[in-house]
Amino acid sequence: MKKVYATSQAPEAIGPYSQAVEVDSTIYISGQIPLVPETMEIVGESVEEQTQQVMKNIGAILDQTGLTYDHLVKLTILLDDMGDFATVNDIYASYLYEPYPARAAYEVSQLPKNVKVEIEGIAKRF
């Protein structure tokens, strides 16, 4: 059985998807872009501002599921410019503690709403 999560503390889905879905104690968090939940507007133009908002959105979804960043086991980072990787990595790391989750990072040709960063995650109840 799957359980769907939604919170007003993270951006509402802007397509046919859920903010997060849980199956067998594993929570799959949809890719988050730097939308401010209250306004559904993109925050800032810098990758720093956008990454902070993305991580806050992930945190809000985790909170809705009763979990924390410590429960993340895998994250995927999508960037519009791999030259921003070090900056995104530093901000990303400030939300996490060892042992860090597994991760992949890719440069893509374009992200929704022309943002600079999108991050999706998988968390596990343990």
Side-chain angles (χ1 to χ4, degrees), residues 55 69-70 72 75 91-101:
M55 292 305 291
Y69 294 105
D70 291 336
L72 290 167
L75 290 156
I91 295 166
Y92 160 95
S94 73
Y95 285 83
L96 305 170
Y97 301 96
E98 290 188 41
Y100 297 115

Side-chain angles (χ1 to χ4, degrees), residues 10-111:
E12 64 185 43
I14 55 175
Y17 62 89
S18 300
Q19 287 176 337
V21 175
E22 181 172 359
V23 177
D24 295 332
S25 301
T26 301
I27 294 89
Y28 302 89
I29 300 169
S30 291
Q32 294 299 299
I33 61 174
L35 289 170
V36 176
E38 298 80 15
T39 64
M40 292 298 288
E41 298 290 326
I42 301 299
V43 67
E45 294 184 20
S46 74
V47 72
E48 294 88 354
E49 292 171 295
Q50 291 192 8
T51 304
Q52 290 282 358
Q53 186 64 50
V54 166
M55 292 305 291
K56 288 177 188 174
N57 292 345
I58 290 170
I61 294 168
L62 286 166
D63 186 59
Q64 181 68 23
T65 69
L67 302 179
T68 68
Y69 294 105
D70 291 336
H71 292 90
L72 290 167
V73 295
K74 172 73 166 69
L75 290 156
T76 302
I77 300 172
L78 305 171
L79 300 164
D80 76 339
D81 180 354
M82 193 56 86
D84 290 331
F85 179 76
T87 300
V88 171
N89 195 53
D90 288 344
I91 295 166
Y92 160 95
S94 73
Y95 285 83
L96 305 170
Y97 301 96
E98 290 188 41
Y100 297 115
R103 181 187 69 197
Y106 304 96
E107 178 178 304
V108 296
S109 65
Q110 188 175 13
L111 290 165

